[in-house]
Amino acid sequence: MMRLTSRRLQRLGCVLALRLMALVLREISGAWALDNGLAMTPTMGWLHWERFMCNTNCKEEPDSCVRYRSFGEKLFMQMADLMASEGWKEVGYEYLCIDDCWMAPQRDSKGRLQADPKRFPSGIRHLSNYVHSKGLKLGIYADVGKKTCAGYPGSLGYYDIDAETFADWGVDLLKFDGCYCDTVEQLADGYKHMSLALNKTGRSIVYSCEWPLYMWPFQKPNYTEIRQYCNHWRNFGDIYDSWQSVKNILAWTSSNQRTLVSAAGPGGWNDPDMLVIGNFGLSWDQQITQMALWAIMAAPLLMSNDLRHISFQAKTLLQNKDVIAINQDPLGKQGYLLRKEDSIEVWERPLSNLAWAVAVVNLQEIGGPRSYTISLASLGQGVACNPACHITELLPVKTKLGFYEWTSYVKTRINPTGTVLLQLKISQTTF
Ligand code: GAL
């Protein structure tokens, strides 16, 4: 049996004190969130915008125009079928979300929004019944200002009536955009008003905002306030199906992480926009990077792709249960960039049960795979692997790397624009 010398006792004391401090720090952060009991972990689902945009030309493009169903072609119905039948629902993708361009150009005689009668002939209530019958939830889109970004009727002046309409239709999530507002006060008042109006309906409706995105050009958003009204909020411009776009989002997020990380927690999340995995613009390594980093950032996982035409590889990545478990970790702490050295970024995220996730990203776009060695003592505020830990590589390939002591190093090898995602689980044993 190992004898506890006074040095060992001292070290043990130190370890316990550090661990206790880490626990306390984890508990006290995470400000008051919107009290609707929703989004206790980041929302997961599918959102039509990046892949299908405002395609209303059903004559020329019957398969990809924004519509419920007509003559056998049915974008949202088909997505609902596939979400339920192809394993998406099982791993957590629950919300099927309509974005802009679903509306008729005018409100009805009672001032209510209405769906485009040609593209949604049986209306949203019918679609929500269908989606619910598949065990899924329905998301819809509206705008705080005079018009939606694509020019359809905005909710300004109609917040209560629109909230009631959505609740009547059985909607479960509202993405509320911020186009066509005249002032920042109007923007802020509108976002708050809609939050209260949704709550007043008595229906559980996840409230997805773009408030800070529209606020940044004028003043630094007050995230404590935003968190009190929204379940998640977009901070940065729209994602495109390109590596440049994913890179810009990551760079913006890390440069503002002091503000963003403390704002996130159960009930309220920073939203770096949709997952574009399974489309055309990202290489395999870049898709891995998006999945890994969206998990580290505790981001809503809203895919925008065509579930009818998706490669087996992309599907496997999007349905990776280990990575989803990191994204959905109940502790609800957003990860952050720990350091950047010579185009290698190390990100980390604290998880429940004293575990940590670590992502090593190779941003060098010339040359081949690069090796990068990490001192374990430098991770997780010094406690992630103290006194020892089991390390598993989750991406690109699930591999048990083994048992490591605090003073040791782990070697990674990362493809250009790719990521190695590791999970560290604490162990009380040392060699
Ligand atoms: C943008 C928004 C996009 C999409 C689009 C619809 O402002 O950021 O995600 O919703 O409007 O017009």
Side-chain angles (χ1 to χ4, degrees):
M1 216 172 88
M2 199 193 304
R3 287 207 10 234
L4 285 175
T5 61
S6 64
R7 274 194 62 195
R8 264 187 186 278
L9 269 173
Q10 231 175 19
R11 195 174 148 214
L12 196 68
C14 211
V15 169
L16 286 175
L18 274 172
R19 201 127 348 113
L20 194 71
M21 218 162 78
L23 264 178
V24 170
L25 280 174
R26 283 175 182 202
E27 291 315 312
I28 54 177
S29 56
W32 179 39
L34 173 57
D35 190 18
N36 61 3
L38 300 171
M40 296 312 283
T41 61
T43 303
M44 290 178 68
W46 184 93
L47 175 63
H48 97 242
W49 186 255
E50 193 288 321
R51 180 64 189 256
F52 296 98
M53 301 188 72
C54 195
N55 187 351
T56 53
N57 186 354
C58 295
K59 212 162 167 210
E60 302 285 326
E61 300 185 66
D63 275 342
S64 48
C65 71
V66 176
R67 66 169 161 186
Y68 175 22
R69 61 172 184 169
S70 137
F71 313 118
E73 290 94 17
K74 23 196 163 174
L75 181 63
F76 291 103
M77 220 168 166
Q78 281 184 322
M79 292 305 160
D81 290 346
L82 291 167
M83 278 173 78
S85 66
E86 291 292 312
W88 300 101
K89 190 177 79 175
E90 277 70 29
V91 297
Y93 295 95
E94 190 183 14
Y95 288 82
L96 174 72
C97 304
I98 312 173
D99 208 287
D100 205 348
C101 306
W102 61 271
M103 295 174 197
Q106 309 292 341
R107 290 174 176 270
D108 71 10
S109 56
K110 291 187 186 138
R112 288 163 65 116
L113 288 171
Q114 45 188 350
D116 183 287
K118 284 214 182 77
R119 292 179 288 117
F120 294 83
S122 25
I124 304 295
R125 175 80 245 185
H126 194 277
L127 175 55
S128 90
N129 287 345
Y130 188 76
V131 167
H132 294 152
S133 76
K134 296 274 157 189
L136 299 165
K137 297 198 157 122
L138 183 72
I140 209 162
Y141 167 101
D143 189 287
V144 69
K146 289 191 280 287
K147 286 191 256 180
T148 73
C149 298
Y152 290 85
S155 294
L156 184 65
Y158 294 91
Y159 299 131
D160 295 292
I161 195 172
D162 288 355
E164 279 157 28
T165 307
F166 299 144
D168 285 350
W169 287 345
V171 162
D172 307 290
L173 177 149
L174 173 65
K175 172 174 173 177
F176 210 37
D177 212 336
C179 276
Y180 296 103
C181 259
D182 293 331
T183 61
V184 277
E185 289 76 29
Q186 194 179 63
L187 183 83
D189 290 348
Y191 272 106
K192 291 187 209 169
H193 192 145
M194 187 49 116
S195 177
L196 301 173
L198 291 173
N199 262 0
K200 246 192 280 167
T201 67
R203 186 171 174 85
S204 292
I205 301 177
V206 172
Y207 187 39
S208 164
C209 301
E210 298 203 34
W211 180 0
L213 163 61
Y214 290 90
M215 200 84 175
W216 271 108
F218 304 100
Q219 63 194 62
K220 189 177 170 189
N222 177 347
Y223 281 94
T224 313
E225 187 177 38
I226 290 168
R227 194 178 153 74
Q228 287 164 14
Y229 289 95
C230 302
N231 290 120
H232 28 96
W233 47 84
R234 283 270 308 283
N235 295 307
F236 191 68
D238 292 1
I239 197 162
Y240 279 52
D241 185 15
S242 76
W243 175 236
Q244 187 60 46
S245 174
V246 171
K247 250 190 331 188
N248 288 347
I249 292 172
L250 292 175
W252 187 87
T253 304
S254 58
S255 61
N256 288 284
Q257 62 186 12
R258 272 182 182 279
T259 310
L260 302 178
V261 169
S262 57
W269 311 97
N270 292 294
D271 177 5
D273 213 358
M274 294 156 271
L275 290 169
V276 292
I277 296 166
N279 291 322
F280 308 96
L282 300 186
S283 72
W284 174 238
D285 285 291
Q286 293 158 3
Q287 294 180 64
I288 289 177
T289 295
Q290 195 188 23
M291 193 68 190
L293 271 292
W294 263 235
I296 292 279
M297 292 189 292
L301 297 182
L302 292 166
M303 309 177 276
S304 193
N305 48 21
D306 189 342
L307 300 178
R308 299 166 299 189
H309 308 285
I310 187 161
S311 70
F312 176 75
Q313 219 185 9
K315 184 177 172 192
T316 309
L317 178 60
L318 286 162
Q319 294 193 355
N320 186 313
K321 287 188 183 151
D322 297 314
V323 183
I324 292 174
I326 289 179
N327 174 273
Q328 296 286 300
D329 185 83
L331 187 64
K333 293 276 175 201
Q334 180 171 338
Y336 47 84
L337 176 67
L338 177 66
R339 63 172 164 270
K340 183 167 182 167
E341 261 179 303
D342 193 17
S343 304
I344 301 268
E345 289 190 348
V346 181
W347 293 66
E348 62 179 19
R349 176 177 175 188
L351 304 170
S352 46
N353 299 322
L354 301 176
W356 287 75
V358 174
V360 191
V361 193
N362 175 8
L363 290 172
Q364 186 166 286
E365 294 175 36
I366 186 169
R370 290 169 73 205
S371 297
Y372 186 74
T373 302
I374 312 166
S375 139
L376 292 172
S378 73
L379 293 176
Q381 296 150 15
V383 297
C385 193
N386 192 335
C389 61
H390 294 280
I391 304 185
T392 308
E393 177 185 303
L394 299 181
L395 289 174
V397 180
K398 187 165 182 179
T399 323
K400 283 195 171 163
L401 299 187
F403 180 72
Y404 290 76
E405 282 213 311
W406 189 59
T407 48
S408 59
Y409 293 80
V410 64
K411 198 171 164 185
T412 57
R413 196 163 166 77
I414 324 113
N415 290 347
T417 67
T419 292
V420 168
L421 180 66
L422 304 174
Q423 186 176 49
L424 277 62
K425 282 195 172 157
I426 208 94
S427 162
Q428 299 305 331
T429 341
T430 51
F431 287 116

